[in-house]
Amino acid sequence: MAEVTRPLRVLIVDDDALVRAGLWMMLDGIHGIAVVGEAADGAEVPAAADAHSPDVVLMDLRMPRVDGIAATRALRRRPHPPEVIVLTTFDTDENILHALRAGAGGFLLKDTPPARIVQAVRLVAAGEPILSPQITRRLMDRVATHADAYQRARAALAVLSPREQQVVLAVAKGRANAEIAAELFMSLATVKAHVSAILGKLGLDNRTQIALLAHDAGLA
């Protein structure tokens, strides 16, 4: 019997009812994606996550009681955390940095084309970060200017094996697992094992944070 793959479960978090309705209509008709719930404020996110067990959360930043950064941080501390894509109109350096440090796997603006949002949901659910090249470059330039971040990143990466450091560099360059496998002559399973080991050793949540650490250390 063929294996049945369940759709990706998406939770929408935004204080604008029209935005929530628009995202729901856009995503819920896509094959392989099911919108399972919504929340109007970050304060409602824990209960919504408990009720709906989402795979991916689309998270607004500016909300009246609990903002998207705090809500993302709380979600990523759960035993089996969903992936988070921040979807906002506010793309300041501080917002981007705080969202990624909180554990978000993606950062998109609300004027992102629908097809790109759909792609982001699928990629982030598969463990692939999604960030526009312009935002990535601006953020990395900012992070690289801080000497203390450089020293901390170098010390953290020193605990990794040489092979794990090669994987870190490839992740920082935006390589997908299959590309890393081909580039470093590894099996796909070995690459996944290395990524999991790196996350565990460094106490990180996702590949985006690996890339940030590599840039902090001046490796990419």
Side-chain angles (χ1 to χ4, degrees):
M1 181 181 295
E3 182 180 355
V4 177
T5 302
R6 70 172 179 83
L8 293 173
R9 299 168 62 84
V10 176
L11 174 69
I12 298 169
V13 182
D14 198 292
D15 64 343
D16 188 327
L18 289 177
V19 171
R20 296 198 306 273
L23 289 171
W24 193 303
M25 292 176 62
M26 180 186 75
L27 289 170
D28 205 41
I30 300 297
H31 177 71
I33 295 176
V35 178
V36 294
E38 63 180 58
D41 189 87
E44 301 172 8
V45 168
D50 287 339
H52 303 296
S53 301
D55 301 301
V56 178
V57 178
L58 292 179
M59 183 77 73
D60 190 18
L61 279 185
R62 301 282 183 89
M63 291 179 285
R65 290 183 293 165
V66 176
D67 66 26
I69 302 298
T72 296
R73 188 177 295 112
L75 278 177
R76 296 300 299 170
R77 288 173 177 165
R78 297 167 71 92
H80 301 288
E83 297 295 336
V84 176
I85 300 173
V86 169
L87 192 61
T88 182
T89 56
F90 303 99
D91 64 339
T92 66
D93 290 355
E94 289 296 331
N95 282 336
I96 299 165
L97 184 60
H98 288 322
L100 298 181
R101 295 296 189 198
F107 195 106
L108 298 176
L109 298 181
K110 287 183 178 177
D111 61 0
T112 299
R116 180 66 167 162
I117 294 176
V118 172
Q119 179 190 38
V121 168
R122 289 174 171 153
L123 286 174
V124 170
E128 303 285 351
I130 189 78
L131 214 62
S132 75
Q134 299 90 338
I135 288 177
T136 302
R137 185 71 268 156
R138 197 172 80 220
L139 177 61
M140 299 314 176
D141 287 344
R142 173 188 171 85
V143 172
T145 63
H146 297 281
D148 58 339
Y150 173 85
Q151 295 296 337
R152 288 196 303 269
R154 283 282 178 169
L157 292 175
V159 307
L160 303 180
S161 70
R163 200 60 161 160
E164 288 168 341
Q165 291 181 10
Q166 289 179 318
V167 173
V168 166
L169 183 58
V171 169
K173 292 178 178 177
R175 305 285 195 267
N177 285 343
E179 294 172 316
I180 297 173
E183 186 175 302
L184 299 181
F185 304 102
M186 299 179 182
S187 70
L188 189 58
T190 299
V191 173
K192 291 179 178 179
H194 277 311
V195 171
S196 294
I198 291 164
L199 291 172
K201 287 183 178 181
L202 300 180
L204 302 178
D205 292 318
N206 54 46
R207 295 165 69 97
T208 303
Q209 291 179 336
I210 293 176
L212 281 171
L213 193 66
H215 282 273
D216 282 352
L219 298 181

